[in-house]
Amino acid sequence: MTSPRPLSQRPRPFTPDTLAERWACSAETVRQMVKRGELPGFRVGRLFRIPVNAVEEYEECQTSASDGSGADFASTGPTPAPENDGATALRHAPARKRKPKP
């Protein structure tokens, strides 16, 4: 068993701004992906952070065909219709429950 790397050698997690620059999108898009669960992330106070390994896995899933490898992240994209007539079925996200205002 290998020992964990010291903190100084671990890759730093991405911020929404740095990841947005890498992906050529807005930081708000990255934040929404984390909020929807499309991209794993965590919060440090009010700030979002996205682990490097989560970004690499997401990018790998976006650039390669699914091989049924049982990745940790489910696809949220369109799924082919079962009748195979070329139609695409879209899945709706579950409704979010709003917290009552005090």
Side-chain angles (χ1 to χ4, degrees):
M1 186 165 131
T2 62
S3 61
R5 290 189 290 183
L7 287 175
S8 62
Q9 294 179 355
R10 292 183 189 168
R12 294 182 63 126
F14 286 94
T15 65
D17 290 323
T18 57
L19 190 53
E21 185 176 318
R22 177 178 173 139
W23 286 352
C25 66
S26 71
E28 185 59 26
T29 298
V30 174
R31 286 185 204 94
Q32 291 300 321
M33 291 174 72
V34 173
K35 287 179 184 177
R36 288 190 304 257
E38 294 176 28
L39 182 64
F42 60 94
R43 293 186 81 138
V44 178
R46 295 180 60 198
L47 307 173
F48 283 104
R49 294 295 180 261
I50 302 97
V52 172
N53 63 338
V55 172
E56 291 169 349
E57 278 192 42
Y58 185 86
E59 289 174 343
E60 179 67 28
C61 287
Q62 299 303 307
T63 59
S64 67
S66 176
D67 59 1
S69 62
D72 292 338
F73 309 110
S75 171
T76 57
T79 56
E83 54 271 357
N84 237 354
D85 63 350
T88 301
L90 299 176
R91 292 179 283 158
H92 288 274
R96 294 178 65 183
K97 296 180 183 175
R98 297 206 180 251
K99 295 180 182 177
K101 292 187 179 181

